[in-house]
Amino acid sequence: MNEQMNIEVDAATTHTPVLIVGGGYAGTAAALFLAQNGVRAIAVDRHDGPSVQGRARGVNQRTMELYRTLGIHKEVEALSAPFAGDAGVARCATLAGAWDWLFDPEPDSRLATVSPSTFVMADQNTVEPVLTRRARELGAIIERGTVAEHIEVGENGATATLRRLDDGTSRRVRCDYLIAADGYASGIRDLLGIRRVGTTAVQDWVSIVFDADLDDLVERRALFWIVLNEELGFASLTTTARPGRWSIGVTYDPATTPLSSFDAEKCAAIIRAALGDPEREVGIVDVTPWQQAVGVADRYRQGCAFLVGDAAHVWPPAGAMGANSGIQDAHNLAWKLAAVLDGRADPGLLDTYEDERRPVALALADLTVRRQAARFGGGLDDDVDDIVCTFGQRYRSAAILGGAAEVPFAGAVADVAEPGARMPHRWIDEEQRTSILDLTGSRFVLATVADTDELEPAMGPHDVLVQRVGRDVLPADAVVALIRPDGYVAWLADEAQADAESVRKAVERVMSIR
């Protein structure tokens, strides 16, 4: 593929199979999952390290399942310790006044059986270093304090100048594939001429991170507090991973209130108005603007370039689906890129990334908008089932053989293997707490109730692990289920098709090799 690049390169230009622009959650996850699949990508980000802003805090169970395949789930779980007492959503005029608990959920009993993982509360700025370290251990190159400039994108490759911000040195890099993980205001998306469907900007916010002792006001910690009073209008207060450090977000109109007006004095006044204590001592740590927006890119690919995370989709934070979806985008794309780069798959496989992930984004945009409106309007949107949103996402594409499930969501999570659905969790080693999903990540798994001896022969260049499972995980008329590296069921077969040759052909069809 490198010889077919239709952009001009020279001897001073180095090569990487994949260049990732943007080192937030989605970009770092893309580098990590590519490395897991044997691809040594380069990821660059202009920032020296994670933002002091906590940002995305909810790591859902599906994302944690992906981390299990990399052996980092325990480390991520440990990062939840500062949030151990946080639960529910409270609304108040000030923190010093009365609280009305809008959302104080009981644990969902279904979670014990639907997943091997648990939901984790952890600040993004504590999780990103874990992902970065593991990605580098697996061979990824992640460069902080580096910007990608003069990007040229063709059908068969791209080039970019990578410039270090500390000393100004630069080098030219060419890549077979480019991943745009450069956020909501993605410059690469604009370069590619990709539009975003939906309302581009709903509301401007400023987030203020501050230090204060609030022990006398906070007898019980919430996930966040909705603060409504005449002085502030609306504000959202959250905890952070650091004791005594908090974050408050307020809306503002840049046309009438410039960001520069949010000096230390004004920020302190905002915080004290939310607390209901005009004398409270507070220390301002950081002030960052952001936009709450709704929009999904009208396509996820242009030639060799792909959009992931906020570059592809944005919506309100209700339900913690934004960052998790970005990470799951990266996982869906990474194993496919790896298979194409090493010749195991036809490039046509890459078209299934948009086919599978974009319908999910469109549906989640609608769900989160409704949930956000209902939550801040005084209640909750009870028809949004978090478990279905998390585990019930279904795909229909050329990389799914058979299956006619409603996409992107059906009414329930699949409880037996179903083409286009995530493979249901089952323990295959209860003593070691190993789930069937733990075997995925970088290879296909063939779950079977048939005689495994007939399925063991090598299946060409494809790494397929054969795993015996209980009868309860497969439909009555199936004896094998082919599970993709992302944990999704690609194919079911009855006893007549339960042989190595049929499995090999099924894998090749999934890989767009016809």
Side-chain angles (χ1 to χ4, degrees), residues 441-487:
S442 59
R443 60 187 171 187
F444 284 82
V445 175
L446 191 71
T448 179
V449 294
D451 185 351
T452 58
D453 292 341
E454 296 182 8
L455 298 168
E456 292 292 354
M459 299 172 191
H462 310 296
D463 182 9
V464 181
L465 173 69
V466 180
Q467 175 62 48
R468 194 70 179 261
V469 294
R471 174 75 263 179
D472 68 324
V473 76
L474 298 180
D477 58 350
V479 296
V480 297
L482 181 64
I483 310 168
R484 306 187 321 184
D486 59 358

Side-chain angles (χ1 to χ4, degrees), residues 182-194 196 297 307 310-312:
D182 52 341
Y184 159 71
S186 171
I188 296 177
R189 185 187 62 236
D190 292 342
L191 174 69
L192 298 173
I194 298 177
R196 191 165 42 200
L307 308 181
D310 286 355

Side-chain angles (χ1 to χ4, degrees), residues 218-239:
V218 180
E219 295 181 3
R220 175 186 165 191
R221 287 163 58 109
L223 295 174
F224 65 92
W225 290 261
I226 298 170
V227 182
L228 295 165
N229 63 48
E230 290 185 1
E231 185 174 353
L232 285 180
F234 170 87
S236 175
L237 178 73
T238 63
T239 57

